[in-house]
Amino acid sequence: STPLKGDPNIVSSFPDPDGKCRKKFPEQVFANWVALEEQADIAECIAAAINDGKCMMKNLCSHSIKVSWLATSLKGDGGKTISSFRDSNGMCRRKFPKHVFTNWF
């Protein structure tokens, strides 16, 4: 057994046929993994714009992305589909990183 290094670029793994991993680690460990994947997907794939009080979003990647604070996943179709919601409280700018607004074209 070797300790985990504090480097976010290193992924450690081991075979787990009997599910020991789920039993040994607290649920928060798995929630952290999902949150990191969501952040990476947003950074790589999402384009957003605010127009007439609506947050408009496109998924530029080919795989669908579940964003935790949205009711439905963003369809992965290379940006062909535009999803939107009424954004009267400014949630779009508060929740998405600034660079997603420069991805819109």
Side-chain angles (χ1 to χ4, degrees):
S1 142
T2 58
L4 295 174
K5 286 187 174 185
D7 183 342
N9 298 314
I10 295 175
V11 176
S12 298
S13 65
F14 59 89
D16 188 29
D18 57 355
K20 272 188 184 176
C21 187
R22 244 315 154 203
K23 294 173 192 167
K24 295 282 185 181
F25 284 109
E27 198 56 42
Q28 185 60 47
V29 170
F30 300 99
N32 291 347
W33 185 271
V34 171
L36 285 174
E37 285 182 333
E38 179 181 306
Q39 288 174 1
D41 279 343
I42 289 171
E44 180 183 343
C45 300
I46 303 300
I50 298 173
N51 190 3
D52 292 331
K54 282 183 153 182
C55 179
M56 302 172 58
M57 303 158 290
K58 294 191 252 185
N59 178 352
L60 304 176
C61 291
S62 60
H63 63 279
S64 293
I65 296 175
K66 175 66 182 131
V67 178
S68 61
W69 52 273
L70 294 174
T72 58
S73 295
L74 298 173
K75 184 179 178 181
D77 62 3
K80 292 180 182 114
T81 302
I82 297 175
S83 302
S84 66
F85 64 88
R86 185 89 20 231
D87 191 28
S88 57
N89 64 359
M91 182 184 288
C92 194
R93 285 218 187 272
R94 282 197 322 273
K95 294 283 195 172
F96 280 130
K98 290 178 183 174
H99 77 271
V100 301
F101 297 98
T102 62
N103 292 343
W104 190 270
F105 49 89

